[in-house]
Amino acid sequence: MKEKQNSICLRPHHGMCLAYFEGKGYTQGFTAHMGKILELLKKDVYVKLTVGGDTICSACPNLKEQTCITENLVEEYDRKVLLLCGLQENEIIPFTELTEKVEKFILHPEKRKEICGNCQWNEICSSRKSRWTKE
Ligand code: SF4
């Protein structure tokens, strides 16, 4: 396990997005970056649950002058994920703990659409199996 002080900022709702990520996204640069982050996160790292721009947002074309153009929408997603998973903003936890809780409290009981059913990628995520599901 990597050190807690080297935690990676991650928006809580990205714990859901990464479960379904299949290489599609806003731009090629963004998806390539997201793929790299996913590989990094899978290496047993700590994440800081950040309601705001995170390491994935840093390559997003929707980030204008450090602010997401859909900030209110995604902030709501983040807060709902924190609530359902019993987690706190700015808490530092292992990435695996986030994925286990997201799977157990949101994805497996099929509550994801209640949180982000209005997202433009909803159809893709609806058609995919969560990669956090234990076989
Ligand atoms: S529908 Fe959008 S916000 Fe929800 S998991 Fe998929 S990409 Fe993320």
Side-chain angles (χ1 to χ4, degrees), residues 13 16-18 20 77 112 116-117 119-123 125:
H13 87 270
M16 301 188 300
C17 309
L18 288 165
Y20 302 108
Y77 296 171
R112 184 194 60 75
C116 59
C119 170
Q120 64 176 298
W121 308 108
N122 179 54
E123 265 187 49
C125 295

Side-chain angles (χ1 to χ4, degrees), residues 8-81:
I8 296 171
C9 290
L10 192 72
R11 298 198 79 122
H13 87 270
H14 283 155
M16 301 188 300
C17 309
L18 288 165
Y20 302 108
F21 174 66
E22 56 166 24
K24 290 187 182 148
Y26 302 110
T27 63
Q28 241 183 353
F30 175 76
T31 50
H33 176 73
M34 190 146 169
K36 276 190 206 152
I37 298 295
L38 176 58
E39 289 315 306
L40 178 69
L41 291 170
K42 287 200 288 193
K43 288 181 189 156
D44 231 8
V45 296
Y46 277 95
V47 290
K48 181 175 183 183
L49 303 173
T50 307
V51 180
D54 70 357
T55 184
I56 289 177
C57 302
S58 66
C60 182
N62 286 351
L63 193 71
K64 306 282 183 209
E65 292 169 9
Q66 298 309 309
T67 305
C68 175
I69 59 171
T70 57
E71 181 59 29
N72 292 344
L73 192 70
V74 289
E75 180 174 335
E76 207 179 303
Y77 296 171
D78 284 334
R79 300 220 178 268
K80 284 182 181 165
V81 170

Side-chain angles (χ1 to χ4, degrees), residues 1-10 43-50 87 90-95 97:
M1 175 77 67
K2 295 264 167 38
E3 300 297 322
K4 237 180 172 181
Q5 55 266 37
N6 294 333
S7 62
I8 296 171
C9 290
L10 192 72
K43 288 181 189 156
D44 231 8
V45 296
Y46 277 95
V47 290
K48 181 175 183 183
L49 303 173
T50 307
L87 294 166
N90 294 328
E91 201 174 337
I92 298 176
I93 58 169
F95 178 62
E97 187 180 331

